[in-house]
Amino acid sequence: MSSQRVKIVEGGKLVIPAAFRRELGINPGDTVIVEMAEGELRVRSIPSAIRRAQELVKQFNPDGRSMVDELIADRRAEAERE
């Protein structure tokens, strides 16, 4: 992991070095996810956070079934029984 020394400026703002912004794929004005974990401040781009969430959810559906299709099929079956 690369590191770089930066200062906290007026108002508690942290300037993310340009090389890090490029690597994360973030630009001025973008929204990012910031979290505290194990005593560290972590910054992630929104696309990175979405990918991570998808990976976590995939653990519960390893064969890639469409949960939406299954839900729709269940609802249709219920409607037919009524």
Side-chain angles (χ1 to χ4, degrees):
M1 174 197 304
S2 59
S3 62
Q4 188 170 342
R5 190 174 176 159
V6 297
K7 287 189 178 192
I8 305 296
V9 297
E10 186 69 30
K13 297 176 185 174
L14 171 72
V15 177
I16 301 171
F20 290 6
R21 292 194 312 268
R22 279 192 298 274
E23 189 170 331
L24 290 170
I26 58 176
N27 297 299
D30 286 355
T31 300
V32 296
I33 304 296
V34 180
E35 67 182 351
M36 286 292 299
E38 301 172 16
E40 297 178 348
L41 179 66
R42 297 183 183 172
V43 179
R44 270 194 245 130
S45 66
I46 298 294
S48 173
I50 291 170
R51 278 192 304 276
R52 181 162 187 223
Q54 289 170 332
E55 290 168 5
L56 291 171
V57 170
K58 190 174 184 176
Q59 294 175 22
F60 300 101
N61 185 17
D63 56 354
R65 295 185 332 261
S66 171
M67 304 311 265
V68 171
D69 290 343
E70 288 184 22
L71 177 63
I72 291 170
D74 285 348
R75 295 293 186 252
R76 286 184 178 149
E78 278 183 35
E80 288 176 11
R81 286 191 295 267
E82 289 180 359

